[in-house]
Amino acid sequence: MKYTYWQQETEKIKDTIIQKTQELLRIKSVLDEENATADAPLGKGIKEALDYMLELGKSDGFTVKNVENLAGHIEMGSGKEIVGILCHLDVVPEGDGWSSDPYGAEIRDGKIFARGAIDDKGPTMAAYMAMKLVKESGVKLSKRVRMILGTDEESNWRCVDTYFQKEEMPSLGFAPDADFPIIYAEKGIWDFYIIQNTEINKNESADIIVQSFSSGRRFNMVPDFAKAELETKDQECTITQAFEGFLQQHSLKGRAYVDRGTLTLEVEGVSAHGMEPNNGINAGLFLSAFIASLNVNEKAKQFFAFVQKFLYQDSRGKSLGISYHDDITGDLTINVGTLHYNDKDGGKVGVNLRYPVTFEWENGKAKLEEVLKNEKMKMETISHSKPHHVDRNSFLIKTLSKVYEEQTGEKAKLISIGGGTYARSLEAGVAFGPLFPGREDVAHQKDEYMYIEDLIKATAIYAQAIYELAK
């Protein structure tokens, strides 16, 4: 079947694609373990999104399966081999400053605005509708096609870990969760805490006591807000003036106010995906730098001085002695996703480190541990995912390259990213769209959106890709 067939068939169901995408986007599928239940282990919203997709698949005549309410799949066709399409239904928290309801799926200026529009609910629906087009075309397939639905991609990947313990592994596949043309290499991803040694005594003679500090929600997001509460011993005016000067110097927004004898400082930043921290403005790091300039108590002084020296305005690990670059995946990057401190327990930094495919992780880890030991800090690894890349001459890449070039008329350039997609769950898996070259990447940002034109275009590309890989 020619590429034009898939374009024409996709155009016929354009309104349905938009409608179903909006319905999925209106479900607030943010991780909520505090309110988890036996049948909703990651929270009610995530379970609702999973149920929605499985019910949709069932109603359209696909075979569906729920795997412990953490994942599921929608399948068609027959054969020994499986073509996998790996998607995720969870989204990062919406954050602040949206122009419209983050879960309203409002359409304006040719775009759908919602958390998850581009990462990853919009692309998930595009891939689902592509499967439906292939199914309804009546073409004979030699492989099964299985959409695997994860629900914990933005956190700890418990979904795919559980899924592949119980279900078979596709022989090849793609994840519609990054950029077009084709992402064949992904950095290693390491989440860990840097924790302050709490044996430092409080300096009672200090002019300023840092009572608490809080910034960030997730390892893989640049924090867009930070807040500190200080006991200042009648220095509120002096500190406030210095703070206002700091904000002005760095072109930041923020405020200072006194409530019941406590001086509160707040900084606004710009959120971005943790794979490139320089695309955002880290509110936590800026507020930490300001606090480091004050005459604070010893415990706070040691912690915030460390943050300023080793993490502030250094997303490449140079100060920590672990900077690295290769020609396949570029720079090692460090995102400070969370920053917390209180006068009793000390400080804790949540780090999302992404390293190139040729970086020797064990050696880098040992170097970092030595630096932290000298600074009276320790490390606690939360998760680690090794780098991933696929041979550029494989059947998978050659097939997807052909599809992309026929559909767009543009060269299918192979690219690498710092982000981690479900593609790395497969031995032969790549990320394939949905972000087209030249489009702004607004994943994890306020006012996240996807162009309707791109949603429809991606659906046609995925339909042809499924057909070519499984025929």
Side-chain angles (χ1 to χ4, degrees), residues 18-27 48 52 56 105 121 125:
I18 295 170
Q19 176 195 339
K20 295 301 181 184
T21 301
Q22 286 180 297
E23 289 176 5
L24 182 58
L25 289 170
R26 287 173 180 144
I27 301 170
E48 185 181 347
Y52 173 88
L56 181 62
K121 289 179 175 176
M125 189 55 69

Side-chain angles (χ1 to χ4, degrees), residues 13 16 24 30 55 63 128 148 170 227 233 243 279 388 460:
I13 61 167
T16 302
L24 182 58
V30 176
E55 285 297 323
T63 300
Y128 174 79
I148 298 170
K227 178 179 179 179
K233 297 183 179 178
F243 181 61
N279 287 341
H388 171 77

Side-chain angles (χ1 to χ4, degrees), residues 67-68 70-71 86 148-153 155-167 169 382-385 422 424-425:
V67 179
E68 296 193 4
L70 288 170
L86 286 80
I148 298 170
L149 300 164
T151 60
D152 192 32
E153 193 270 352
S155 296
N156 298 317
W157 286 36
R158 288 163 288 189
C159 46
V160 287
D161 290 345
T162 300
Y163 183 86
F164 287 121
Q165 287 172 9
K166 300 179 178 297
E167 300 294 328
M169 176 75 70
I382 301 303
S383 64
H384 176 230
S385 178
Y422 275 160
R424 69 174 62 211
S425 299

Side-chain angles (χ1 to χ4, degrees), residues 1-14:
M1 286 184 170
K2 290 187 176 180
Y3 69 92
T4 51
Y5 170 82
W6 302 111
Q7 293 174 344
Q8 291 164 0
E9 292 303 302
T10 300
E11 193 62 33
K12 291 177 184 177
I13 61 167
K14 177 179 177 178

Side-chain angles (χ1 to χ4, degrees), residues 48-234:
E48 185 181 347
L50 179 60
D51 287 345
Y52 173 88
M53 287 303 301
L54 295 179
E55 285 297 323
L56 181 62
K58 184 178 179 180
S59 68
D60 284 333
F62 292 99
T63 300
V64 304
K65 185 174 184 178
N66 183 323
V67 179
E68 296 193 4
N69 293 311
L70 288 170
H73 70 236
I74 299 170
E75 185 177 279
M76 68 177 181
S78 60
K80 184 178 179 181
E81 292 187 75
I82 298 175
V83 175
I85 306 167
L86 286 80
C87 306
H88 70 92
L89 300 171
D90 59 313
V91 298
V92 297
E94 61 274 17
D96 304 313
W98 284 67
S99 302
S100 56
D101 180 356
Y103 302 101
E106 182 178 309
I107 294 176
R108 58 181 190 274
D109 302 323
K111 308 168 190 174
I112 300 179
F113 287 83
R115 176 58 84 225
I118 197 73
D119 182 19
D120 185 42
K121 289 179 175 176
T124 294
M125 189 55 69
Y128 174 79
M129 298 304 292
M131 279 183 67
K132 186 177 179 183
L133 283 174
V134 174
K135 178 176 178 290
E136 293 179 350
S137 72
V139 296
K140 188 169 176 133
L141 305 178
S142 64
K143 304 180 183 79
R144 286 174 283 161
V145 178
R146 177 180 291 184
M147 172 176 279
I148 298 170
L149 300 164
T151 60
D152 192 32
E153 193 270 352
E154 298 292 1
S155 296
N156 298 317
W157 286 36
R158 288 163 288 189
C159 46
V160 287
D161 290 345
T162 300
Y163 183 86
F164 287 121
Q165 287 172 9
K166 300 179 178 297
E167 300 294 328
E168 57 191 308
M169 176 75 70
S171 53
L172 52 79
F174 64 87
D177 187 24
D179 297 2
F180 281 124
I182 301 167
I183 292 173
Y184 79 116
E186 300 180 10
K187 290 179 180 177
I189 303 175
W190 180 23
D191 286 346
F192 60 92
Y193 282 118
I194 296 174
I195 304 169
Q196 183 181 23
N197 184 334
T198 55
E199 294 178 359
I200 298 171
N201 292 323
K202 187 164 62 173
N203 182 0
E204 298 295 347
S205 64
D207 294 333
I208 305 161
I209 305 293
V210 182
Q211 296 176 338
S212 68
F213 184 104
S214 180
S215 180
R217 300 180 178 93
R218 295 283 182 88
F219 285 93
N220 64 348
M221 292 179 70
V222 177
D224 60 3
F225 182 76
K227 178 179 179 179
E229 295 180 335
L230 313 177
E231 181 184 319
T232 59
K233 297 183 179 178
D234 300 323

